[in-house]
Amino acid sequence: MTTAAKPRPADRVPDCVDCPIRHRAVCARCETDELQELEQIKYYRSYPAGQTVVWAGDRMDFVASVVSGIATLSQTMEDGRTQMVGLLLPSDFIGRPGRDDATYDVVATSDLVVCCFRKRPFETLMARTPHIGQRLLEMTLDELDAAREWMLLLGRKTAREKIASLIAIIARRDASLRPTGAAREVVFDLPLTREAMADYLGLTLETVSRQVSALRKEGVIRLEGTRRVTIPDFERLLAETGDDSDGGFLV
Amino acid sequence: MTTAAKPRPADRVPDCVDCPIRHRAVCARCETDELQELEQIKYYRSYPAGQTVVWAGDRMDFVASVVSGIATLSQTMEDGRTQMVGLLLPSDFIGRPGRDDATYDVVATSDLVVCCFRKRPFETLMARTPHIGQRLLEMTLDELDAAREWMLLLGRKTAREKIASLIAIIARRDASLRPTGAAREVVFDLPLTREAMADYLGLTLETVSRQVSALRKEGVIRLEGTRRVTIPDFERLLAETGDDSDGGFLV
DNA sequence: GTCATGGCTTGACCTCGATCAAGGCCGGAA
DNA sequence: TTCCGGCCTTGATCGAGGTCAAGCCATGAC
């Protein structure tokens, strides 16, 4: 369906790292007109670390995709107990086509840049462009698997296993994992405060702190400051997660 | 897009209660050919209560939709700890297009009838029929919301709140809720054993039993036998769930 | 009838993680 | 420099829920 006559925007933005949705859902498979249409309804927003992007219950007139930085998705009970229900990393999707009100709080954990699309036009475009919907279905199914994996963690794992699991997941996802050090060490920064980790794991921040200290004292991890983590032996860490030896988390 | 010339199968199966996917995803919006195609790749299976329908890791060459009965979705750790991650009621979808191996155990909790579709043809049909994918996206997003709501329950609620929440959810879903008794009482049967409830709530069966007894002794619920529950005052039950007063769970 | 079985309840006890409290560390403002 | 506030650590204590154990009750086999 590619129109040869028109210039192809895909050529202008070959890698398109600035806008994951367009890259992952559209570039590779859709034609020029749709790309241009997406271009017209998109805009960028950025938030400093700590700022709330969306409050649960707010009206949302856009959907968005994380470009850089980290955000969290969380719910809070009347009495203040809060549970994080998702961690949003670059390329993750925010918002739900077909729903007008936000269900969760979205908070920027680090400085954050998102690529927004006005919701109505996006929905219209989606209705006409199956690829976008299919890509979204794929992403949603992945998120569902991650949520269910997390249910096992929240319901059945011990505090120590929870901490080990979280560290393993973040380590796996983190870019700096790839250039593995000579000694197969993994080094990365925790993108979350102890409190945020507690909210994610269904623990208190004191318990998080104690368990992190315990893992450090036993040599499962090493710490520089409170954020920078070195994992000398990834297998050993995995053994602490309680997961099956081989793969474990899909997150 | 309806073809006037051909007989419309939708007329033959106006309510189509025997096959929710076809009904909800297709009947109302797609044309004859697709309906007939679905017809050709579908078949029914039934399982007695207690039987495992699919084991995690099994190869799955079908997707399916619950026609009647109740099934559960659960994961088990190496040492036997298990966590239920979903409750499948009639019209719920089983399986994931694009994935060949089952991620979770599916167990029939009551006698169960499912409507299966051979996976490859279903995927092919889906690629050509946007409505099916859209419907599936909608259902998946709902499941994701339910899973996240459950994460709050697992991570932050007390045993008593968990039990109250589960009872409220089941009561809401249950058909016999509608013909509300004169005194606004709600009566229904728990479709789960105490052990299954424990697996769902991240508790032990003893704790479930104790908390159910406590709610009974305090008059929040009444019991006939162990399964049949009467809720004399639904508001009072809701007050025990820890949820916001108004709506609460979307499940 | 009796026996076995599966599902449930209840009690006694213990442990893991929450709670309460104090203090350390570090970076930024004055 | 000092001071302050955010973030983190550690200790002491408490309690919700887990664990272990005994027993109940209904059903079905024999």
Side-chain angles (χ1 to χ4, degrees):
Chain A
M1 298 188 38
T2 304
T3 315
K6 294 183 188 175
R8 298 189 58 206
D11 294 338
R12 290 198 339 257
V13 283
D15 253 337
C16 198
V17 282
D18 63 327
C19 175
I21 265 293
R22 190 173 65 178
H23 174 57
R24 297 172 69 176
V26 186
C27 285
R29 305 163 76 183
C30 295
E31 67 264 45
T32 304
D33 292 344
E34 283 147 9
L35 255 183
Q36 287 180 338
E37 206 163 331
L38 264 179
E39 201 68 42
Q40 282 162 19
I41 63 173
K42 107 180 186 194
Y43 56 97
Y44 293 91
R45 302 206 55 172
S46 44
Y47 303 85
Q51 188 162 328
T52 297
V53 177
V54 183
W55 293 96
D58 275 7
R59 185 164 190 82
M60 282 188 70
D61 54 356
F62 63 94
V63 295
S65 172
V66 176
V67 175
S68 67
I70 294 183
T72 64
L73 222 54
S74 57
Q75 352 187 25
T76 301
M77 294 169 67
E78 287 169 318
D79 60 8
R81 284 177 279 178
T82 90
Q83 174 66 51
M84 197 184 301
V85 295
L87 195 59
L88 298 170
L89 300 182
S91 96
D92 283 339
F93 194 75
I94 299 172
R96 165 166 178 174
R99 170 168 302 169
D100 285 336
D101 298 316
T103 314
Y104 311 103
D105 294 328
V106 180
V107 181
T109 289
S110 65
D111 290 343
L112 183 75
V113 180
V114 297
C115 171
C116 304
F117 303 93
R118 290 189 296 118
K119 190 141 87 53
R120 296 280 168 247
F122 187 85
E123 284 167 353
T124 317
L125 181 60
M126 221 180 86
R128 274 187 292 115
T129 316
H131 292 147
I132 297 181
Q134 281 167 21
R135 174 74 195 130
L136 227 45
L137 176 58
E138 236 176 82
M139 293 172 72
T140 307
L141 283 164
D142 286 340
E143 280 185 86
L144 183 58
D145 279 339
R148 285 173 165 167
E149 203 75 45
W150 212 254
M151 285 170 66
L152 176 63
L153 178 145
L154 290 172
R156 294 301 184 193
K157 289 192 176 181
T158 64
R160 167 181 267 250
E161 288 171 337
K162 287 179 177 182
I163 297 288
S165 299
L166 180 61
I167 293 177
I169 286 173
I170 294 174
R172 278 231 189 77
R173 283 233 209 169
D174 201 279
S176 59
L177 180 150
R178 277 98 194 208
T180 312
R184 299 207 131 277
E185 284 187 353
V186 181
V187 184
F188 64 99
D189 284 317
L190 288 173
L192 302 172
T193 64
R194 298 290 186 263
E195 186 180 20
M197 291 170 68
D199 285 344
Y200 207 1
L201 299 171
L203 297 171
T204 59
L205 73 90
E206 293 97 327
T207 299
V208 170
S209 182
R210 274 186 251 273
Q211 296 295 338
V212 170
S213 295
L215 290 177
R216 176 176 52 69
K217 280 173 192 154
E218 297 171 27
V220 181
I221 59 174
R222 269 182 278 131
L223 286 175
E224 290 169 62
T226 62
R227 298 298 192 89
R228 173 141 293 235
V229 177
T230 304
I231 304 173
D233 179 356
F234 205 81
E235 291 301 318
R236 175 139 178 241
L237 178 65
L238 286 182
E240 297 287 352
T241 63
D243 294 327
D244 298 359
S245 39
D246 60 343
F249 277 73
L250 307 165
V251 185
Chain B
M1 299 199 23
T2 305
T3 313
K6 295 184 188 176
R8 298 188 59 206
D11 294 338
R12 290 200 337 258
V13 282
D15 253 336
C16 199
V17 282
D18 63 328
C19 176
I21 265 294
R22 189 173 65 179
H23 174 57
R24 297 171 69 175
V26 186
C27 284
R29 305 163 76 183
C30 295
E31 67 263 45
T32 305
D33 292 345
E34 284 147 8
L35 255 184
Q36 286 180 340
E37 206 162 332
L38 264 179
E39 200 68 43
Q40 282 162 18
I41 63 172
K42 109 181 184 193
Y43 55 98
Y44 293 91
R45 303 206 54 171
S46 45
Y47 302 85
Q51 188 162 326
T52 297
V53 177
V54 184
W55 293 95
D58 275 6
R59 185 166 193 81
M60 283 188 69
D61 54 356
F62 63 94
V63 295
S65 172
V66 176
V67 175
S68 68
I70 294 183
T72 64
L73 223 53
S74 58
Q75 349 186 27
T76 301
M77 294 170 68
E78 287 169 318
D79 60 8
R81 282 176 280 178
T82 91
Q83 174 66 50
M84 197 184 300
V85 296
L87 195 58
L88 298 169
L89 300 182
S91 96
D92 283 339
F93 194 75
I94 299 172
R96 167 168 175 171
R99 171 166 301 168
D100 286 336
D101 298 316
T103 314
Y104 311 103
D105 295 328
V106 180
V107 181
T109 288
S110 65
D111 289 343
L112 183 75
V113 179
V114 297
C115 171
C116 305
F117 303 92
R118 290 190 296 119
K119 189 141 87 56
R120 296 280 168 247
F122 187 86
E123 285 167 353
T124 318
L125 181 61
M126 221 180 87
R128 273 187 293 114
T129 316
H131 293 148
I132 297 180
Q134 282 167 19
R135 173 75 195 128
L136 226 45
L137 175 58
E138 234 176 83
M139 293 172 72
T140 306
L141 283 164
D142 286 340
E143 279 184 87
L144 183 57
D145 279 340
R148 285 173 165 166
E149 204 75 45
W150 212 253
M151 285 171 66
L152 176 63
L153 178 145
L154 290 172
R156 294 301 184 194
K157 289 193 176 181
T158 64
R160 166 181 267 251
E161 288 171 337
K162 288 179 177 182
I163 297 288
S165 300
L166 180 61
I167 293 177
I169 287 172
I170 294 173
R172 278 231 190 77
R173 283 231 207 170
D174 201 279
S176 59
L177 181 150
R178 276 100 194 205
T180 312
R184 297 208 131 277
E185 285 187 352
V186 181
V187 183
F188 64 99
D189 283 317
L190 288 172
L192 302 172
T193 64
R194 298 291 186 263
E195 186 179 20
M197 291 170 68
D199 284 344
Y200 207 1
L201 300 170
L203 297 171
T204 59
L205 74 89
E206 293 96 329
T207 299
V208 170
S209 182
R210 274 187 252 272
Q211 296 295 338
V212 169
S213 295
L215 290 177
R216 177 176 50 70
K217 280 173 192 155
E218 296 172 28
V220 180
I221 59 173
R222 270 183 275 131
L223 286 174
E224 289 169 60
T226 62
R227 296 298 191 88
R228 173 141 292 236
V229 177
T230 304
I231 304 173
D233 179 356
F234 206 81
E235 291 301 320
R236 173 137 181 242
L237 177 66
L238 286 182
E240 298 287 351
T241 62
D243 294 327
D244 299 358
S245 38
D246 60 343
F249 278 72
L250 308 165
V251 185

